[in-house]
Each structure stands twice: as C-alpha cells, then as structure tokens.
Amino acid sequence: MPDNGPVVGVLALQGDVREHQRAVSECGLRSALVRRPAELAEVDALILPGGESTTISRLLVAFDLMGPLRARLAEGMPAYGACAGMILLSREILDGTADQRTLAGLDVVVRRNAFGRQVDSFEADLEFEGIPGGTVRAVFIRAPWVERAGSGVEVLARVPEIPAAGGAAGRIVAIRQGCVLATAFHPELTGDRRVHQLFCEMVRRSRVGACR
Amino acid sequence: MQADNSSIERQIGTARVKRGMAEMLKGGVIMDVVTPVQARIAEDAGAVAVMALERVPADIRAQGGVARMSDPDMIASIMEAVSIPVMAKARIGHFVEAQVLQAIGVDYIDESEVLTPADEAHHIDKFAFTVPFVCGATNLGEALRRISEGAAMIRSKGEAGTGNVVEATRHMRAIRTAIRSLTTMASEELSAAAKELAAPLELVREVAAAGALPVVLFTAGGIATPADAAMMMQLGAQGVFVGSGIFKSGDPAKRAEAIVKATTFHDDPEMVAKVSRGLGEPMVGINLGELPDGQRLAQRGW
C-alpha cells in the first residue's frame, strides 16, 4: 500500500470494527482506528461500523467526538455507515431512544429495528445500483430502513418487491448523498468486497475533487 | 438451521445471521437486569444488550433452590421497556424453555450454568432454533463442543455471583492459550489435539488456521469493576457480561457507565483510572475458597 494514499478511519467505540478494517485493507487502502478527536483529525475518511447505535451515540457524546465528526462531515469528508452507522449518519431516527443524537450527514429519516427483532434477522440477494457483477448478498441484523429520503439522496438498493418481503417490500436499504454512503445491511460479514470497493473508490476520487 | 432454502427469498436463522448478531455486540457490555427500571438504567448507561432474569446470580446463590427460566411476563416487560437487544437464560439442556424464549421473541438465549441444569448429559441442539445461543465455557474443548451444537457466541463461565474475577481470568487464559498452541501445531498433530480437546477435528482445524474461535468470545462470571472489564478485554475477550456486579453495587448507573467506558478504552490506563474514581461501594465479593464444591456453578455442563 502506498504510504501517501488516503487513510480510512474506522470508528472503534463499539461494534464489528475489525471486519471493516479487514475489508478496507483488502480494497488496497490504509486504515486506522478512531476513538479520540485527535485520531479523527488524522484520517481522510471514516467508516461507522455495525454495532448498537444507542451505545455508539452515547460514547460519541461522552468522548467529545460528536461535534468534530459533524464538522468533518460538513466539510465533505467521505463516510460510510453500515446498519448502526446508517442510523448515526441520518438526520432523524424513528424508534430510537429519547436522547439519541445523530450526525446529520445524510438527508434521511431512518427507522431503527425496522424489520423486527433478531428472530426476524435475515439474508437476501439485492440488486445494487452502481455495483457491477450481479446481486449483492445482504445480511440484515435487527436492521434499520430508510423511511424517507430527501431529493438529494440517491437510492442504491431496495428490498425486492416479492411476496415474501411483506411490509418490507420496496424499502430503501442503500443510499448515497455526496461523499456519504450507507447500507442497512452488513457487507463486511460476507467475503464480497464490492460495497467497500465502491466506498474506497469514492475516497480516492475525493482527493482529486468529487467523490464520484 | 436454514428456514428457507430459496436464494431469491429471505433466509432467517442462518449461521451468518446468528453469529453476525454477536459481532455487532463486540466491544460492548451486556448487563443483567431484573426489572424494567434496571433495564432502562442499563440502556442509558450504554449497554449493548440486557439479560432479563428474575434473580441475579448473587441472589440465586444466597436463596438456593432450583433456578429456572424467568416468567415470560417479566421478560416481555423488559423487552417493552428498552430498544436494545434483550437476552434471557434457559437451563442447560432445557430445550422447551428455549422454545418458549424463542416464541416470546428474545434476541439471544444464554444456555446458562447459572440456572439449575435440566439435563446432565445433553446440551440443547441449538441448530434447531432460529434465535441464536450463547454458551459458557471453561476451556477450548468445551467452547468447541458448544459451537458444534450450534452456539453462535461463547463466553467464559467464570464464577457467577461472586464478584470475584479469578475464575473468569482462568477460563479466558485457558481458552486463549489453547488457541495459541493449536496455531503452532503441524497438520498431523491436530488430530491428536482434537482427541485431547474432545472436539470435532474440522472445528479444531478451523481454529488452528484462524488463530481464533469461529464465533465471538465474551467474558462473564465475577466482573465487578471497570478494571476487571478492562483486564478481561486485554486478555482477549471481545466484550463483557456483567451479572450481579452492577445492580448489587452502591451506585449502579454510575458503575454501569464506567464499565462501558473502560471496555471501550481497555488499553488506556489513564481512561480506566479516570472512570474508576468515586464509584461508591462495589458488590460484596466471595472468595472461591469459601465456596463448597457443590456451589461452584462453572462445574455445571461439560
């Protein structure tokens, strides 16, 4: 890996941090763990991993990361959030806890635990806009979905409109807005690196101007 | 168990979904709670999940008698009180208690030695369930036997309800040392190692190649302070269960939050020192030498 290439931070307060780190390194970029404001200042992009969104939100506040992270996002730092990460990046949370804070990096309203409890967690194949080579195997774990998306938000994947999907049919589960990408599911849990490659490509392009 | 074999539709209860749920809990603290009020205190302190039960292990010890699955009403009231995952305990081998817990919709079942075992020979066939299971282990062989029965997460047994971390230390070290030892073995030595561990060769090979269990490893049993939690994390735990240690202490909300922070910053002594200040009375501990053999919970199960 080139020493001067961009460094992708992985927010390491709680969650499946190592899996995202491994995925980034397999995509050919350097990675670093971020738990402190000084560590955030040194990365070029940030992944918010899967985990418990209420826990991560509290720790972001407790360790003085909420403000600096909002500021970096406002400056256009590329970010990718998976599941809990998508919740944290949203503008508004439905079914969250009363004091749960968000980073407002994406103009979306998300519903937490939208698909139900763990016994309802599932995997399925999804068509994913902008990812070549066929469907993506998506692992949904007590996952959120996007309830409403602003006009600047690009929808990349939805739950297939099949009878088995029930009330979830057609729900938005992957989005992009500017330099920020989010999925309701966990590509880091499968060996398929195409979603992380898409993000790493956005990170590389952000260095020469636009993320896409 | 794959409930649905069609790839174009959704599959629930797959190994990836069960083990993946535990991956999302990593770096977090799971707290025992006995009321909805305690559950909300745990959630507000930053717990990644709560374990709903009628009595914490310290009280089960003190009161004696047969300890069973909790009243479904009580578990349901905790599920309504918080939005984080809710776990509940079934007795070792009591597959009907597990069926009941799955029917209620709990997010994880702990097949636990803290309750009185219902079967002295057999653990639950955990592949038969959609809900994932966590099981206790004192060594690598025991961990691999539980995984071969379908456990999607392993925790050290420690010695629950004592506030004494010494057994959790022993179990974490035993598991990690045995894993390290497997990684140095020649391929032909793994067969004898599997025999020694009384575990399936296929799993032993997987652990030797990866240098880690194929599922998430937490610690449990006797953790009472932020320093206890940080020590277990430095010994290789990926997260922490705290049973009696929080709500048997002087200031549960403060202690809970301190243990959460110490778990995240387990490798930063200054941070562990900072959160350890002024926590009030810890739970009263029990020295293991004072426990008669029959009251050692870690000896339950095999």
Side-chain angles (χ1 to χ4, degrees), chain A residues 13-16 19 35-36 51 54-55 58-59 112-113 117-118 121-123 125 137 141-142 165 186, chain B residues 7 10-11 14 16-17 20-21 23-26 43-44 46-48 83-85 105 107 264 267-268:
Chain A
L13 296 172
Q14 190 273 315
D16 69 335
E19 285 64 27
R35 289 182 299 180
R36 302 172 176 89
T54 59
T55 301
R58 270 176 230 298
L59 293 174
R112 197 164 151 256
N113 301 334
R117 302 194 73 95
Q118 171 60 16
S121 292
F122 67 100
E123 38 184 299
D125 295 323
R137 188 70 175 165
I141 296 174
R142 285 174 53 98
H186 296 280
Chain B
S7 69
R10 36 177 170 176
Q11 297 182 309
T14 62
R16 204 144 54 184
V17 161
M21 170 74 202
E23 300 285 346
M24 301 313 144
L25 301 172
K26 284 192 302 189
E43 184 175 55
D44 286 345
V48 289
S83 65
I84 56 178
D107 296 297
T264 295
D267 55 351
D268 180 342

Side-chain angles (χ1 to χ4, degrees), chain B residues 48-260:
Chain B
V48 289
V50 291
M51 178 77 68
L53 70 179
E54 272 166 346
R55 295 182 287 171
V56 294
D59 289 334
I60 292 174
R61 257 181 209 294
Q63 294 163 13
V66 174
R68 310 180 180 89
M69 175 189 79
S70 298
D71 183 334
D73 253 357
M74 176 268 166
I75 297 169
S77 70
I78 286 174
M79 290 167 62
E80 279 165 30
V82 294
S83 65
I84 56 178
V86 176
M87 301 184 168
K89 290 182 194 289
R91 284 180 265 179
I92 289 174
H94 206 314
F95 53 89
V96 173
E97 284 188 350
Q99 290 167 1
V100 170
L101 292 174
Q102 175 166 289
I104 299 170
V106 302
D107 296 297
Y108 237 94
I109 295 176
D110 183 5
E111 185 182 18
S112 178
E113 70 283 359
V114 167
L115 305 183
T116 310
D119 190 326
E120 291 183 336
H122 310 284
H123 285 251
I124 296 169
D125 170 16
K126 292 164 275 286
F127 287 113
F129 291 79
T130 303
V131 64
F133 282 75
V134 55
C135 288
T138 59
N139 57 50
L140 180 60
E142 198 174 1
L144 296 181
R145 289 191 290 279
R146 296 295 84 76
I147 294 166
S148 73
E149 296 158 358
M153 179 181 187
I154 293 293
R155 57 170 174 78
S156 68
K157 283 183 175 171
E159 193 55 40
T162 61
N164 188 337
V165 82
V166 66
E167 290 300 300
T169 304
R170 190 192 316 280
H171 302 160
M172 289 308 300
R173 282 197 186 278
I175 292 168
R176 299 274 296 170
T177 304
I179 291 174
R180 268 196 301 276
S181 149
L182 285 185
T183 62
T184 64
M185 284 184 191
S187 172
E188 69 274 16
E189 294 170 334
L190 291 174
S191 180
K195 183 186 167 198
E196 186 89 353
L197 290 164
L201 177 58
E202 196 181 320
L203 264 179
V204 171
R205 285 193 193 283
E206 197 179 337
V207 172
L213 292 179
V215 303
V216 167
L217 172 65
F218 267 48
T219 189
I223 287 91
T225 69
D228 287 350
M231 174 166 145
M232 290 301 118
M233 295 295 286
Q234 288 196 32
L235 285 174
Q238 294 173 299
V240 181
F241 284 88
V242 185
S244 320
I246 289 171
F247 289 99
K248 285 287 168 189
S249 75
D251 188 343
K254 197 167 179 190
R255 182 166 295 263
E257 194 180 327
I259 293 176
V260 168

